[in-house]
Amino acid sequence: MQAMVRNDPVGWATRELADRREAHFPPAVPCGIVDGDPKAVATAAQRLREWFGTDLEMLGPAPQPRRASESERDRIIVRPRGTMPLAELSQGLFRLRSKHTMSREPGSLRVVIDPANLL
């Protein structure tokens, strides 16, 4: 609010980015969303734990709001704990999605890297 009063968008953006860096939120820190069928998301979370260990923080799984005609969906948000580059996170999530698809595992699974709705 003070930034609007002072007409200081650069100052506001600088403070906002610092706050996001401290909270480990995008765009300061890369992140991804994995959502889909609850069983598929649980399997995905287990795989990510095996592949990345403690280098990746997972928030969730949490159930997602749905419309009457939709099936149940869960979501996890993943973000690196250290200085993992976006490319490494992207490769891991791509591998996760590929494994799910190529193994013909049941349930839907969607991966979004640096989702705009978390900005």
Side-chain angles (χ1 to χ4, degrees), residues 41-54 56 58 60-61 76:
V41 172
T43 301
Q46 181 59 36
R47 281 196 179 118
L48 289 171
R49 277 190 216 87
E50 290 170 5
W51 295 345
F52 288 100
T54 59
L56 196 66
M58 281 188 268
I76 55 174

Side-chain angles (χ1 to χ4, degrees), residues 21-96:
R21 189 173 287 120
E22 184 179 332
H24 300 282
F25 285 150
V29 174
C31 76
I33 289 179
V34 178
D35 73 0
D37 178 76
K39 186 174 180 182
V41 172
T43 301
Q46 181 59 36
R47 281 196 179 118
L48 289 171
R49 277 190 216 87
E50 290 170 5
W51 295 345
F52 288 100
T54 59
D55 292 341
L56 196 66
E57 179 180 16
M58 281 188 268
L59 307 174
Q64 295 304 294
R66 61 185 174 137
R67 296 183 191 123
S69 62
E70 292 180 331
S71 60
E72 189 176 356
R73 297 184 68 78
D74 278 0
R75 171 183 283 181
I76 55 174
I77 298 173
V78 294
R79 58 188 183 189
R81 287 191 192 272
T83 58
M84 179 188 301
L86 177 60
E88 187 177 343
L89 177 63
S90 297
Q91 288 171 350
L93 293 176
F94 177 78
R95 181 176 160 207
L96 176 73

